[in-house]
Amino acid sequence: MLDETKKGSDSVLRKMVSRASKATIKGSIFYGVYFVLSQYMAPIFTLVPSFKPMIEAFVITYVVLLVAGELTRGTVFQHFLSMAKALFVVGYLMFSMGSGVFNLSMGTVNIAVDLRLILTLTVLLSLVGVAKAVLEAVNYMNEKAEPLAL
Amino acid sequence: MRVAIRAIGIASAVLWVFLIGFAVSAVFSVKDFQFEFGALQTSIGPQNDVMFAFPLGIINKGLYGISDFNISSELVNDQGFKLARGSTFVPLIGTGQTVNTTREIELRFGDLLNGSTRLLFDDVDLRLAETFSMKAAALIPVQASSSMSIPWGAPLNNLALGTPQSSEGDGGSYLGVVVPVSFENHAFFGLNGTLLVHVFNNVNVLIGKGQISFDVSQKSPFRQKLMVDAAFQNVTSAGHYEMSVETPLFSVGPLVFLYA
């Protein structure tokens, strides 16, 4: 009996370590991708100084949600967090990109970049993410409710 | 259901990678898009219009082609009156391609004078408002606008008629009157034509008239004395001139100048 309890607690610990490792790896990869891309975007960050903190805030929030989702893997909270992540992307894009037309002033030159098409595609992809999270949650609840085969 | 969810996940991940990669590379590509502005060239066209030509080199070192490249230029005077407009369209600038083009704006003197005859007499700065529009990577519309000033040199700058001076007459009813005429041609073109002056006394009676031809090269002054045969009995110490200027490019007048 004691052995079984010990085995159970070992298994939980292993699961936790595995989840934490996965979360760390995923978070690191995501941040690494951001870091590489930000090197290429450096000239744009110089031109639009407000762009960098905006992107950084997004990356931090996304990584936090990603790590939290990974830590809660196997529970219903994972799906909530997954949905929250997808909704956060939609909300953030709508909030930060506004109409999708960026105006930039450099001395006597005014530049307008129309990113509405990119914005629309990004929002649609994020909505696919929301739909996927909902389906996963439904599937999870289904599997929980199904009687175990004897 | 798990398979379907996984398929959605894979498809959405692939699309995310493609979308982010495309957006970043397109924006990165715009950075490598360069303009080389040449010096402003001015000339007089075959129909006596003022031609402004702006050579422009467009260099695309980016990863994507630039399509629907259009430059529209609008020339306005110092009071905001539209004088002329022109546009240049380049359908496609491929990757690694350099396109040299010239933006031309044709300014009719008639339009110039409708805007303000001041441009004939005063040096001013005309404003050139330019709008560049293009599609980066055939998908992302980008628009840039700027304005620059173009110095305009007046062809009849400081136009003045001096106080009439009497010279020898015919000893009878006519008196020779000398009217000093001066102006500076600050324009980029030479100016030739005729200057016609009517001299009136203080009760608006025509005393006499005279005309003088001129041929003044660019950035040069003109100073001459115009001879007018004046009816002796009508001459008064004060009055006014009415002057007209006729050139192949424009006609202006009558302009009123007082004398005393």
Side-chain angles (χ1 to χ4, degrees), chain A residues 52-114:
Chain A
K52 195 174 183 182
M54 205 169 88
I55 295 280
E56 270 175 355
F58 172 79
V59 170
I60 290 166
T61 315
Y62 195 85
V63 168
V64 167
L65 289 171
L66 191 81
V67 169
E70 208 53 51
L71 290 174
T72 55
R73 181 169 282 276
T75 67
V76 76
F77 298 110
Q78 177 203 352
H79 307 297
F80 288 154
L81 285 165
S82 179
M83 208 183 303
K85 202 169 63 183
L87 284 172
F88 164 72
V89 174
V90 176
Y92 185 85
L93 285 170
M94 301 297 275
F95 176 74
S96 63
M97 292 180 85
S99 62
V101 181
F102 279 94
N103 290 298
L104 175 67
S105 200
M106 290 188 297
T108 56
V109 182
N110 295 309
I111 299 172
V113 184
D114 187 349

Side-chain angles (χ1 to χ4, degrees), chain A residues 127-148:
Chain A
L127 288 176
V128 170
V130 174
K132 183 179 162 260
V134 171
L135 283 176
E136 277 174 340
V138 169
N139 185 49
Y140 177 83
M141 295 309 287
N142 260 347
E143 281 178 357
K144 278 264 176 183
E146 273 171 15
L148 289 173

Side-chain angles (χ1 to χ4, degrees), chain B residues 122-137:
Chain B
D122 296 326
D123 293 347
V124 292
D125 278 334
L126 301 178
R127 195 170 61 81
L128 182 73
E130 291 190 291
T131 306
F132 299 80
S133 62
M134 66 187 109
K135 272 189 180 171

Side-chain angles (χ1 to χ4, degrees), chain B residues 9-27:
Chain B
I10 292 167
S12 105
V14 169
L15 287 172
W16 267 118
V17 169
F18 175 76
L19 188 65
I20 291 172
F22 172 74
V24 171
S25 58
V27 173

Side-chain angles (χ1 to χ4, degrees), chain B residues 106-136:
Chain B
E106 199 177 294
L107 179 60
R108 291 194 183 92
F109 258 103
D111 297 341
L112 192 74
L113 299 178
N114 283 343
S116 166
T117 51
R118 209 186 126 209
L119 293 173
L120 293 178
F121 307 109
D122 296 326
D123 293 347
V124 292
D125 278 334
L126 301 178
R127 195 170 61 81
L128 182 73
E130 291 190 291
T131 306
F132 299 80
S133 62
M134 66 187 109
K135 272 189 180 171

Side-chain angles (χ1 to χ4, degrees), chain A residues 40 43-44 108-115 117-118 121-122 125-126 128 132 135-136 139 143, chain B residues 1-2 5 8-9 12 15-16 19-20 22 24 27-28 31 139-146:
Chain A
Y40 289 103
I44 294 156
T108 56
V109 182
N110 295 309
I111 299 172
V113 184
D114 187 349
L115 292 175
L117 186 68
I118 302 282
L121 289 174
T122 315
L125 269 180
S126 300
V128 170
K132 183 179 162 260
L135 283 176
E136 277 174 340
N139 185 49
E143 281 178 357
Chain B
M1 189 138 174
R2 274 193 174 184
I5 292 168
I8 291 171
S12 105
L15 287 172
W16 267 118
L19 188 65
I20 291 172
F22 172 74
V24 171
V27 173
F28 187 65
K31 183 184 73 64
L139 277 179
I140 305 170
V142 180
Q143 196 176 67
S145 57
S146 73

